[in-house]
Amino acid sequence: MEGDKKYITGEDLKQHNKEGDLWISIQGKVYNVSDWAHEHPGGDVVLLNLAGQDVTDAFIAYHPGTAWQYLDKFFTGYYLKDFKVSETSKDYRRLASEFAKLGLFEKKGHITMYALASIALMFCVVLYGVLCCKSIWAHLGSAVVLGFLWIQSAYIGHDSGHYQVMKSRGYNKLAQFLAGNSLTGISIAWWKWTHNAHHLACNSLDYDPDLQHIPVFA
């Protein structure tokens, strides 16, 4: 019953924002994910960044519908007394709804296949230019083509790492391995772990792995 519910305020929730004491709110229900943090498939950095806050939009954006069934075991028994949807969240949900209606989230596997075909063609051109030609200009031209190849493969790795761009999960993983691990030389599993954290803590010196890795890559 409504009168039997236990409540805490947003200020109370903010106190639980440290490692070993991580509470979050999803649609007004408060969950303790302290022990789950190190098992979280998305990594503990994401939870450390969002701890002590309402994370409804982030949860919906980064989890499949089946994830909801696992929340009950983390429920603290508390509800957020002053829970309300912010204007920013309302705008985000409205925008996501409009994009969905426009079909912008639909799979477009044929476009990815065209991109992979162009990568394969450029790879063949590079091999021919390096192995079969002795001209310095052919080698320089191959270097330019190789640069475009890496750029295109990075785009494919990025898009397939974010969501399923192919018609099946198997083909999507194949695109990830080819574009990420094989051509770009970056572990796609590691990249997905860090890049998802990047989107949830964009340009945060404390929680954005992409920003923290810039000195190494530079």
Side-chain angles (χ1 to χ4, degrees):
M1 296 175 62
E2 185 69 25
D4 296 331
K5 288 183 177 180
K6 296 185 294 184
Y7 292 91
I8 63 172
T9 66
E11 288 300 317
D12 295 328
L13 181 63
K14 288 179 181 178
Q15 304 306 312
H16 302 275
N17 64 349
K18 299 175 289 294
E19 188 170 2
D21 183 22
L22 302 175
W23 287 22
I24 57 174
S25 164
I26 299 176
Q27 290 189 338
K29 295 180 72 173
V30 179
Y31 301 92
N32 183 350
V33 293
S34 306
D35 296 332
W36 169 245
H38 295 296
E39 300 178 36
H40 182 230
D44 59 346
V45 173
V46 174
L47 294 176
L48 285 167
N49 173 48
L50 297 176
Q53 306 175 49
D54 180 79
V55 300
T56 303
D57 289 324
F59 182 83
I60 293 173
Y62 285 90
H63 295 82
T66 53
W68 289 92
Q69 62 185 303
Y70 300 107
L71 287 177
D72 284 344
K73 63 181 179 181
F74 304 115
F75 183 45
T76 61
Y78 290 105
Y79 293 83
L80 206 56
K81 187 175 183 179
D82 45 2
F83 170 72
K84 64 177 182 178
V85 180
S86 69
E87 291 302 317
T88 301
S89 289
K90 289 178 182 178
D91 287 343
Y92 162 75
R93 295 175 188 183
R94 190 181 302 114
L95 190 63
S97 177
E98 290 177 2
F99 282 178
K101 291 177 181 177
L102 291 172
L104 299 182
F105 298 136
E106 294 176 4
K107 303 170 190 174
K108 297 179 175 61
H110 61 287
I111 296 177
T112 307
M113 290 304 299
Y114 294 154
L116 287 173
S118 71
I119 290 173
L121 178 61
M122 286 189 284
F123 189 64
C124 291
V125 170
V126 170
L127 286 180
Y128 179 81
V130 172
L131 300 177
C132 300
C133 299
K134 296 182 179 180
S135 168
I136 184 65
W137 294 108
H139 287 191
L140 289 174
S142 297
V144 173
V145 174
L146 183 62
F148 283 115
L149 183 155
W150 276 334
I151 292 172
Q152 191 62 53
S153 65
Y155 280 138
I156 295 298
H158 176 274
D159 288 353
S160 62
H162 260 300
Y163 57 92
Q164 190 171 318
V165 296
M166 306 296 280
K167 293 298 182 182
S168 71
R169 296 181 68 87
Y171 285 128
N172 198 66
K173 285 186 177 180
L174 178 61
Q176 292 176 12
F177 290 140
L178 288 176
N181 295 52
S182 301
L183 292 174
T184 311
I186 293 178
S187 165
I188 196 68
W190 169 83
W191 180 86
K192 286 192 290 185
W193 184 87
T194 61
H195 198 65
N196 284 336
H198 154 76
H199 277 287
L200 289 169
C202 196
N203 294 335
S204 165
L205 288 174
D206 295 320
Y207 298 110
D208 185 349
D210 280 10
L211 195 65
Q212 294 167 350
H213 294 149
I214 285 178
V216 177
F217 287 120

